[in-house]
Amino acid sequence: MRRCARVFGYRTFKTAVGAGIAIFIAQWLELEFFTAAGIITVLCIRATKKGSLEKAWKLLLASVTGLLFAMVIFEVFGYHPLSLTVLLLLFIPTLLKIKAIDGIVTSIVILLHIYTVGTVTWELFLNELTLILIGITVGLVMNLYMPSIDHQIYDDQIELEYQFQRILQEYARYLRDHLDDWMVRKLQKQVDL
């Protein structure tokens, strides 16, 4: 339980600080929809480095794919709810096919930015790409340091082995000497449960 609280607290800290840093950078660069960088960072924070890299890749792939879909669909069919529906009907299966469905939230945020603006410009494309890169980069940087739990696992293993040793010693003493003290009663209660 202590380990879980410690890891949860640390991850929460990384998430909060990372989101703040990403938003600060995006706002400092005067990007439109700068809060999206914080959302992307939050989605990148994972419990492991490997998980972070996998999530970052899926977010990047899904978001860039979403940008391309939005540019084509909205420019060809216009900026209205029916176009958005067609876009999602084509886009979601594509994400499943390229195994990037984990990035759907980020990519839909990006798609909705383009839908809100109502036009695709080079500036908007760069704005959205920069938001994606800031969010992913900050998320990955925040995940560079993962506290090692190897020491805690080793300590837990030693404690568990000690407890098993005590139980087996008490049980052997009971079998050998028929001593009925508190440890044996406790052991029998545990076994009966």
Side-chain angles (χ1 to χ4, degrees), residues 127-141:
N127 183 83
E128 298 305 304
L129 192 58
T130 306
L131 288 173
I132 295 164
L133 293 175
I134 289 170
I136 289 173
T137 302
V138 171
L140 288 174
V141 168

Side-chain angles (χ1 to χ4, degrees), residues 71 86 91 114 145 175 177:
M71 289 168 48
V86 169
F91 180 59
I114 294 170
Y145 176 72
L175 291 174
D177 302 332

